[in-house]
Amino acid sequence: MAKQKKAPRPKAETPKGFRDYFGAEVTERSEMLQKIAGVYHRYGFDALESSAVETVEALGKFLPDVDRPNEGVFAWQEADEDGKGDWMALRYDLTAPLARVYAQHRNDLPTPYRRYAMGPVWRNEKPGPGRFRQFYQCDADTVGAASVAADAEICSMLSDTLETVGIPRGDYLIRVNNRKVLNGVLEAMGLADGAEARDNVLRTIDKFDKVGENGVRELLTKGRLDASGAFIDGVGLSDAQADPVIAFLTSKAADAAGTLANLRAAVGDSVVGLQGIAELETIAELVQAQGYGPDRIEIDPSVVRGLGYYTGPVFEAELTFEIFDEKGRKRQFGSVSGGGRYDDLVKRFTGQEVPATGVSIGVDRLLAALREKGRVQSHAQGPVVVTVMDRDRMADYQAMVAELRNAGIRAEVYLGNPKNFGNQLKYADKRNSPVAIIEGGEEKANGVVQIKDLILGAKIAENATLEEWKERPSQYEVARGDLVAKVREILEGQG
Amino acid sequence: MAKQKKAPRPKAETPKGFRDYFGAEVTERSEMLQKIAGVYHRYGFDALESSAVETVEALGKFLPDVDRPNEGVFAWQEADEDGKGDWMALRYDLTAPLARVYAQHRNDLPTPYRRYAMGPVWRNEKPGPGRFRQFYQCDADTVGAASVAADAEICSMLSDTLETVGIPRGDYLIRVNNRKVLNGVLEAMGLADGAEARDNVLRTIDKFDKVGENGVRELLTKGRLDASGAFIDGVGLSDAQADPVIAFLTSKAADAAGTLANLRAAVGDSVVGLQGIAELETIAELVQAQGYGPDRIEIDPSVVRGLGYYTGPVFEAELTFEIFDEKGRKRQFGSVSGGGRYDDLVKRFTGQEVPATGVSIGVDRLLAALREKGRVQSHAQGPVVVTVMDRDRMADYQAMVAELRNAGIRAEVYLGNPKNFGNQLKYADKRNSPVAIIEGGEEKANGVVQIKDLILGAKIAENATLEEWKERPSQYEVARGDLVAKVREILEGQG
């Protein structure tokens, strides 16, 4: 005990890069995720919740030449009898656990297996502004379906999801591209086998979003002076060699037929390229058959995010409405979700190739978009606060909150030291309370209660003239028996 | 690449003591937690979601004399520049993070601060049957309220919670005791200052649930032969000294007044004891004023769980309906929730004593109870499966599922290889599908679809005679335009 007293007090601090979420921050996210789960469920996807902890072996992030696992994950060694147990880690995404789960349970799971998962993931990375080391992901994947009908389904589901959470039609666009078409372009350029040249081209394409057509052309050929004045070496292709890549990236036409024709020109007679184009055509047909026109889902070869990672179709959901950035400039809200086909998910474990396709929603970004659009049904409103005028009559006040709650109204009795009434009103203010209830000895004797409309009171205090103040009282005296009815009336008026 | 081929394949295994949750296991828990959150919200409690990771310093589980943190938590050392960073750990409950959050944000939080939290916690303990190293907790606490009105409120909230999730009134009981009364008993016995004797008595009382009145009397005095034949040393009190403890534990009378009178006799003139009794009396009055009678919340000094840990009122929610245990014997379902007052939550951080009271619900146990009572609205039903008879007409099948989904019906198209139709029906079976849709070339030409009622089909296959089979067809041919209406009719008939 004496020892403890000497020890310095621990610091009350969130670990670096982590944060706490309060009240509406929690409930708004949870409500959004519930709505998303509802759509996924309707599409036949089943929930999966794997544990936060995986063996490093299963996660596959263990570097063979170092004692400690990869810095990107939070990992530790289990202490067994010899003090040297397995390495464990927190999952860094929801896809690696899906691979482990599918390989482990594949005999019990249906094939194809449609599953969704939502929950936190952890990254042991340098935190930055708005970048945390724990954040939510929300994924849906179909494992074991080779047909691009599975990709088309993900796209229409994504469209339904965005509308269900509150993004109106016209404010988003799901854009679809295909890695196979790009492979066809590379084949047409004679780069099918040159791994290094291919990788260079892929890396360059990845910058299309930032540097645009001319930038990509420069980077593919002679190099480019970037905005900071630094010179970036080019890949060293000729202008003629760069042409098919540029043709691919800029092939989007007024309609799908036009785009597909442009792509055919870019891939020449490459078999894989033509197969990729046929896949895009099928996806366009399938979503169209379900009523999803190009105002919701469109073929757009300028989507490059993930082209290096995925093996077939890739998709991206973009919110097209405009917001003001930190510097006050208008820009499109941008991407909130992306995904695609990756066909070697389970191979690490079983040696067997299993086709898979899926999508991941950026939970925090989508939530930010909904807040931007005023589309979150905020639970931020505080409770009705029943104040305590006479601490011996706590039972009376508790009876009032019970009545209010039974009527479905959020309500609480003030539980701090009731001596200073001003503190009670300050508390109500801090709680964003819409209404305060007051029942002192005089009210009790007369069978009435005082009801303060705190929202109206605040408005009047801010703006009103003395005349208005008198005309629009924000405090009402009602019979005790009318408490619930009057509170409901005030809340409805505030709504 | 060549190197990778040589490496052994990773094992696809959940880490020891962890498990995966599938489908209804996930959604049923999530629905129950949503309902609980709704009650907590109505009581004025605000959601809090702290991160899974805390510094070991803040968690307070670091043993000063060893290099590694306590075995009970999963912990690791951050790698900073020198390779020796802070120790981090996964939270082992939701109370320690609350203490840290309150100490860190106390200037911004209202006082009293009512918060609820739900989520996984992690224990680095030996797993056992049904005991996992990651499990859910669901807590509500009020920080900064010294009044037992806060404890009374937790009890009535717990009662509302149980009824809201589906435990009928009469099938549960919330029992309330008070550590201060026990302190009074110890004072009356002259053990107020003898820390060792007190601890011995507390430890003995903790076994009351298991060994009963006689067992406790033996353990307090001369010792006891336990069921296995081993002799457990007694505390060495005289029979007269043991009397007040037994009187305390068995003081429950027909009504609260009787129980309180018995307790008064047990504590004599101990000030803290009488204070504890007054608190129990106030709690009984307060919950009664809100309409919660002793059929829901009762004073019961035989509640001993947590008496060693808490500093004032303690509560426990017990489910009183009977179930059969593994050996086929009837027994009460038992405790699903417990809590109480603990007044030094924040002191470690700030040096300042802050009163707090709260409750924790055993999420998995409550969910098991609801399943036992058939009270979970299971989402286990599979989707309607649209089979693929002609792979070139995938767009037709996708249009069907889109129609069904738009009507709110869970539906999917078969996305595996459609070649073998038997596999499609096997898949529908594995998915618990209620209905399968079939549209071959002939049906297409005639403008009809076949609809199989798979639930009825399975029943008939099991039980029916040939006559019944003929009379009660489980497959219907309807016009394509009547697809949704007929599927809905079948689903409603199954419901």
Side-chain angles (χ1 to χ4, degrees), chain B residues 31-32 35-36 39 158-172 319 321 366-367 369-377:
Chain B
E31 279 158 28
M32 186 183 85
K35 286 181 192 163
I36 296 175
V39 177
L158 189 50
S159 168
D160 284 11
T161 299
L162 294 176
E163 294 188 18
T164 300
V165 299
I167 305 290
R169 198 169 301 179
D171 268 351
Y172 72 91
L319 302 191
F321 62 85
L366 183 55
L367 198 51
L370 294 174
R371 289 195 179 116
E372 192 75 42
K373 298 288 271 184
R375 289 307 176 105
V376 281
Q377 257 201 326

Side-chain angles (χ1 to χ4, degrees), chain A residues 46-67:
Chain A
D46 272 352
L48 168 66
E49 189 170 323
S50 59
S51 61
V53 179
E54 296 277 350
T55 64
V56 165
E57 183 189 357
L59 280 185
K61 280 280 175 169
F62 192 78
L63 298 176
D65 51 334
V66 292
D67 263 2

Side-chain angles (χ1 to χ4, degrees), chain A residues 9-12, chain B residues 58 95-107 109 111 113 141-145 309 342-357:
Chain A
R9 283 181 197 141
K11 277 191 283 265
Chain B
T95 308
L98 170 62
R100 193 266 306 153
V101 167
Y102 187 81
Q104 181 174 350
H105 302 280
R106 64 192 183 282
N107 293 328
L109 292 171
T111 295
Y113 176 49
D141 295 83
T142 301
V143 183
Y309 170 73
Y342 49 100
D343 280 343
D344 48 4
L345 181 70
V346 188
K347 202 177 173 185
R348 284 182 60 231
F349 293 104
T350 64
Q352 195 186 355
E353 218 166 75
V354 177
T357 184

Side-chain angles (χ1 to χ4, degrees), chain A residues 40-336:
Chain A
Y40 288 180
H41 180 80
R42 207 162 70 237
Y43 269 78
F45 285 68
D46 272 352
L48 168 66
E49 189 170 323
S50 59
S51 61
V53 179
E54 296 277 350
T55 64
V56 165
E57 183 189 357
L59 280 185
K61 280 280 175 169
F62 192 78
L63 298 176
D65 51 334
V66 292
D67 263 2
R68 263 186 92 89
N70 196 322
E71 295 236 325
V73 299
F74 288 105
W76 63 91
Q77 193 170 18
E78 281 248 86
D80 62 7
E81 287 77 31
D82 315 324
K84 292 268 170 194
D86 289 339
W87 275 95
M88 318 269 275
L90 292 176
R91 65 184 181 202
Y92 57 84
D93 73 2
L94 299 172
T95 307
L98 170 62
R100 194 266 306 152
V101 167
Y102 188 81
Q104 182 173 347
H105 302 281
R106 64 191 183 282
N107 293 329
D108 302 317
L109 292 171
T111 295
Y113 177 49
R114 290 177 177 89
R115 87 87 180 80
Y116 69 86
M118 26 190 69
V121 301
W122 293 266
R123 301 271 170 93
N124 193 359
E125 290 168 348
K126 221 180 154 76
R131 267 188 58 185
F132 297 96
R133 304 211 281 178
Q134 171 177 330
F135 56 92
Y136 269 74
Q137 287 196 336
C138 170
D139 286 19
D141 295 83
T142 301
V143 182
S147 159
V148 290
D151 303 277
E153 174 179 273
I154 298 265
C155 291
S156 52
M157 184 165 77
L158 189 51
S159 168
D160 282 12
T161 298
L162 293 176
E163 293 188 18
T164 300
V165 299
I167 304 291
R169 198 170 301 179
D171 268 351
Y172 71 91
L173 201 50
I174 292 155
R175 298 152 72 217
V176 187
N177 197 357
N178 195 332
R179 167 64 189 264
K180 287 183 182 167
V181 180
L182 175 59
N183 286 352
V185 170
L186 295 170
E187 221 174 82
M189 292 164 69
L191 293 180
D193 299 318
E196 199 192 323
R198 274 175 74 115
D199 286 352
N200 284 338
V201 173
L202 273 172
R203 248 198 307 280
T204 304
I205 283 179
D206 225 25
K207 296 182 184 133
F208 180 58
D209 280 345
K210 277 189 203 146
V211 303
E213 180 183 337
N214 279 332
V216 167
R217 180 177 290 280
E218 285 173 354
L219 287 170
L220 286 174
T221 52
K222 60 185 195 304
R224 182 172 188 268
L225 213 59
D226 80 2
S228 72
F231 186 78
I232 315 294
D233 282 340
V235 174
L237 302 182
S238 68
D239 255 329
Q241 274 180 304
D243 282 342
V245 178
I246 301 297
F248 166 71
L249 291 172
T250 60
S251 57
K252 183 153 181 298
D255 58 20
T259 305
L260 294 167
N262 288 342
L263 288 178
R264 273 188 205 99
V267 302
D269 54 3
S270 155
V271 172
V272 64
L274 290 170
Q275 189 192 346
I277 294 167
E279 287 179 3
L280 287 176
E281 196 165 14
T282 304
I283 290 173
E285 277 167 22
L286 287 174
V287 298
Q288 187 74 56
Q290 292 179 79
Y292 299 82
D295 57 327
R296 292 195 266 173
I297 304 172
E298 65 162 11
I299 307 299
D300 185 347
S302 72
V303 175
V304 295
R305 229 182 41 156
L307 272 187
Y309 170 73
Y310 294 112
T311 57
V314 298
F315 6 96
E316 182 155 28
E318 211 165 345
L319 302 190
T320 51
F321 61 84
E322 287 184 327
I323 54 165
F324 291 97
D325 68 12
E326 318 78 56
K327 293 184 181 161
R329 289 171 305 203
K330 266 193 180 176
R331 60 166 183 85
Q332 285 206 342
F333 190 90
S335 174
V336 291

